[in-house]
Amino acid sequence: MSTGVVVVGAAESDLGVTGKTALHLQAQAITRALADAGLRLSDVDGLATNGVSRFAAAQVAEYLGLGPRWTDSTFAGGSAFQLYVGHAVQAIRAGQASVVVISYGSNQRTARSRTHDPYEPQTPEAQFERPYGPLYPVSAYALAAQRYLFSYGAARGRAALSAVAVGAREWALENPRAYRYGAGPLTALDVESCPLVSDPLTTADCCLVTDGGGAVVLVSAARARDLPGAAVPVLGYGEATTGTSIIGLGDLLHTGAAESGRRAFAMAGLTPADVDAAQIYDSFTITVLLSLEALGFCAPGEAPDFLATGGLPLNTSGGGLSYCHPGQLGVLLLVEAVRRLRATADRVALVHGTGGILSTHGTVLLGAPS
């Protein structure tokens, strides 16, 4: 099955420590993705982006000289770009836009802008959580990791967390664009010997802090027939929102990915067994374990066995742990999925984003070019 909408362009901006502005990185990613699609800036009438300012879509549109008739600047953290895919499909099918660009860019490492107080004083959680001085968001994910180790075995769970980081590094060593390319292999002992950030998560369990950005271009399947590139069909998508605070999470081991994944698979008429490769948001190693289980690749508590037996190709760019993490990784997960579908025998790719404190969830299923 297909939604009738396809991805025809995908590209990254410069990555790492770039010395460029966020808007410059956005422009790089967008123009490169349009070139990949065989389209021009003047063809774009839909834009989805966030992060560069309060009025992100208007800011990027002005910078590039665009006048889009459809925009989306929903801020949902790491899952936003998977949500944008679903919203863009709906807009294209409704005739609200014909060429939609989904983009992101951040210079957080160059600008040293990562450190800030995340608590907005008017929110209920501020009075209950802020006095304890949690590191946001790592302390919340560390609580989930502690619960995972308690529920499924400390040694087994710790080994699985390490395996996520080790696997990401192995893929990064094959990717010249990866921040950790050339850094050498990572072992489980290396992961566990790194400085502790928030127990049990070490620095190697946490995503990178880099500059970077990416973009993908979506059009109808009918329009794609006139374009030179290989068109990757959007097969299904789903989203779910649970809560925004540590105190609102409830069961730390069951996330909204179960709902977003169920909706995406139902739309596509597929199951996890049909997926050939997965790009799953790895803000922290625990995020991957929880997502694999919630998405149905394995039962609760079985992610360690899934990883130990090879599972499936996972975060093949190196992910947020070893490739790049410019504040939000979601669009770059889409870029990698498109590249693999074009270059390998994979038939179905899953892309899953997680935002906030296990707060927002977006799942997209993409198919091989026909």
Side-chain angles (χ1 to χ4, degrees), residues 23 26-28 30-31 41 47 59-66:
L23 282 169
Q26 283 254 24
Q28 281 187 333
I30 290 169
T31 54
L41 276 169
L47 176 64
Q59 189 85 66
V60 174
E62 179 180 275
Y63 189 76
L64 295 173
L66 301 175

Side-chain angles (χ1 to χ4, degrees), residues 124-125 128-129 245-250:
E125 62 268 22
F128 297 110
E129 297 178 9
S245 61
I246 299 173
I247 59 174
L249 280 177

Side-chain angles (χ1 to χ4, degrees), residues 61-90:
E62 179 180 275
Y63 189 76
L64 295 173
L66 301 175
R69 58 191 176 111
W70 177 90
T71 64
D72 189 350
S73 20
T74 300
F75 184 78
S79 70
F81 304 90
Q82 284 63 59
L83 272 56
Y84 291 157
V85 170
H87 301 173
V89 169
Q90 294 163 17

Side-chain angles (χ1 to χ4, degrees), residues 100-282:
V100 174
V101 171
I102 297 171
S103 67
Y104 178 72
S106 167
N107 68 340
Q108 64 169 7
R109 188 163 187 119
T110 289
R112 298 177 180 268
S113 60
R114 182 65 177 174
T115 301
H116 66 283
D117 183 351
Y119 285 103
E120 298 175 85
Q122 76 276 14
T123 60
E125 62 268 22
Q127 63 182 309
F128 297 110
E129 297 178 9
R130 192 177 187 183
Y132 294 95
L135 301 174
Y136 186 97
V138 62
S139 293
Y141 284 86
L143 285 171
Q146 286 282 24
R147 183 66 192 182
Y148 196 94
L149 271 57
F150 174 80
S151 298
Y152 303 127
R156 186 167 180 266
R158 178 62 259 184
L161 294 172
S162 300
V164 172
V166 169
R169 177 64 60 84
E170 289 174 355
W171 285 110
L173 295 178
E174 299 180 18
N175 181 5
R177 299 179 299 275
Y179 190 75
R180 297 299 189 197
Y181 177 73
L186 195 65
T187 68
L189 181 59
D190 292 332
V191 176
E192 293 155 32
S193 300
C194 282
L196 197 65
V197 179
S198 192
D199 194 13
L201 303 180
T202 72
T203 54
D205 288 297
C206 302
C207 63
L208 300 167
V209 176
T210 69
D211 298 353
V216 293
V217 183
L218 288 83
V219 301
S220 68
R223 176 146 193 185
R225 297 188 192 107
D226 299 324
L227 299 176
V232 171
V234 179
L235 305 178
Y237 54 85
E239 65 178 84
T241 299
T242 50
T244 187
S245 61
I246 299 173
I247 59 174
L249 280 177
D251 188 339
L252 294 173
L253 301 185
H254 294 87
T255 79
E259 290 301 308
S260 66
R262 180 184 60 77
R263 291 164 184 152
F265 281 119
M267 181 181 293
L270 298 170
T271 71
D274 297 308
V275 175
D276 298 303
Q279 313 300 330
I280 293 178
Y281 208 107
D282 56 344

Side-chain angles (χ1 to χ4, degrees), residues 20 24 323:
K20 297 179 172 65
H24 190 153
Y323 156 66

